[in-house]
Amino acid sequence: MQVSPDELKAKIIESLNLQDITPDQIDNDAPLFGAGLELDSIDALELVVMLEKNYGIVIKDIEEGRPAFESVRVLADFITARRPPPS
Amino acid sequence: MDNLVITAASQVNDGDLLTARLGGRFGRMDRLSQLALLAVERLGAAFDAQPRDRVGICLAVRAGSLSTDVEYWKGRDLAGGLSPTLFTYTLPSSAIGEIAIRHRLTGPNLCFVGNGPALLVEAEDLIRRGETDACVCVFCDSITATAAELIQEPASAQAWAVFLERNGEGVILSPENGRDIASLCVNFCARKSANETNHASLA
């Protein structure tokens, strides 16, 4: 099942405790790190935890997950492709 | 010898955190860092009066990072495991880093665990020894109910901050005024309120 960018943005905001940021303020194609939301390496680790907690996706090597964190849209596609089927 | 003067003082509690808006990063901090950072923010102090590398930070925390340690450890049973963000706050001195980053203060810093009687004594010493010209001093009393139960002490969520400088307007650090930061904050606020009343009656 396709993960919607809006659902994902809400989960990102919740897991990173981003104050005063609403999903509609996050551009689906803006970089998550550096510019854009200005997330850092600790946030990247927190997103890895969020993926496991919410979608059952385990990333053992942060380098493996790096391309997936390019933007909300790319991450949503990554989750859709990698999430385990419902049991 | 120069007088050391408390030129700004503040006190905050967990109720103040509900309305605090200190940017997107504030939300990810643990409660101890949030309280400490908010207390410093409420000082409204003019840190620009000195070069930023001449302003020190002294922090005392009643139970160290115990509350955050407990909260972090609770995460071991959750899917996804322990929170990497929370891990960065499992050090009592984390709040010093947050204060230093937000206000770009690069002077010396000290962190004490306990009720903080040494806080202002050490801050005074830093200034008198010439290591710094001013010091942000914060006492953070942040203990969650779970942590309080562990150490058989009352839960709390408060922080006090003072800005200590050479000379200036405010409460002089003296044996008569003591070294208790909470009492000095009350003293400072009473003095400020009296000054404002005097100014209003003269106007």
Side-chain angles (χ1 to χ4, degrees):
Chain A
M1 195 173 76
Q2 181 71 36
V3 172
S4 80
D6 283 347
E7 171 199 324
L8 182 56
K9 285 188 276 191
K11 292 212 185 313
I12 290 173
I13 289 169
E14 183 192 352
S15 63
L16 301 183
N17 290 313
L18 298 176
Q19 271 191 348
D20 298 333
I21 294 179
T22 57
D24 57 321
Q25 289 175 300
I26 303 175
D27 184 337
N28 289 347
D29 298 304
L32 285 173
F33 294 88
L37 285 177
E38 298 182 350
L39 305 184
D40 61 21
S41 57
I42 298 292
D43 295 315
L45 294 173
E46 201 67 56
L47 287 179
V48 168
V49 171
M50 184 274 287
L51 289 183
E52 183 172 349
K53 198 180 287 183
N54 290 280
Y55 301 105
I57 297 170
V58 179
I59 296 177
K60 293 207 181 297
D61 179 359
I62 191 75
E63 288 304 317
E64 172 206 345
R66 189 182 293 274
F69 294 129
E70 189 181 310
S71 67
V72 168
R73 195 184 305 279
V74 171
L75 186 57
D77 290 342
F78 173 82
I79 294 169
T80 302
R82 293 280 299 270
R83 75 194 301 187
S87 50
Chain B
M1 191 162 62
D2 286 342
N3 280 327
L4 295 189
V5 184
I6 290 170
T7 57
S10 70
Q11 180 189 357
V12 297
N13 59 36
D14 53 349
D16 296 309
L17 295 180
L18 300 175
T19 52
R21 289 291 174 264
L22 300 185
R25 318 300 308 161
F26 190 66
R28 88 173 192 185
M29 294 174 201
D30 70 337
R31 191 176 70 170
L32 190 156
S33 291
Q34 286 184 332
L35 285 166
L37 196 64
L38 185 59
V40 173
E41 197 73 15
R42 295 272 171 94
L43 283 176
F47 297 128
D48 285 333
Q50 292 91 5
R52 302 279 168 144
D53 62 352
R54 298 294 300 167
V55 180
I57 304 170
C58 285
L59 171 76
V61 281
R62 182 156 76 91
S65 58
L66 179 66
S67 299
T68 307
D69 298 345
V70 170
E71 198 181 333
Y72 174 72
W73 189 238
K74 277 186 192 168
R76 72 193 185 281
D77 296 326
L78 301 175
L82 303 159
S83 162
T85 304
L86 210 49
F87 175 72
T88 61
Y89 295 100
T90 57
L91 280 174
S93 57
S94 300
I96 289 180
E98 296 293 357
I99 294 165
I101 290 167
R102 182 166 178 87
H103 297 284
R104 303 186 313 281
L105 303 179
T106 55
N109 58 73
L110 289 167
C111 179
F112 307 93
V113 175
N115 283 337
L119 177 65
L120 288 172
V121 175
E122 292 295 336
E124 181 179 4
D125 198 39
L126 273 181
I127 297 173
R128 296 229 184 269
R129 285 203 314 265
E131 290 191 34
T132 186
D133 295 325
C135 197
V136 177
C137 305
V138 185
F139 175 49
C140 199
D141 187 359
S142 173
I143 304 180
T144 60
T146 315
E149 208 174 309
L150 283 176
I151 58 172
Q152 300 289 296
E153 285 199 26
S156 58
Q158 297 183 85
W160 293 263
V162 299
F163 190 44
L164 192 59
E165 298 182 84
R166 290 180 195 274
N167 303 312
E169 275 290 307
V171 173
I172 294 171
L173 205 60
S174 64
E176 297 75 41
N177 288 330
R179 295 290 186 275
D180 176 67
I181 193 167
S183 306
L184 286 164
C185 282
V186 171
N187 189 338
F188 182 91
C189 292
R191 182 191 158 100
K192 191 176 171 192
S193 173
N195 279 347
E196 283 167 1
T197 307
N198 284 343
H199 285 146
S201 60
L202 287 172

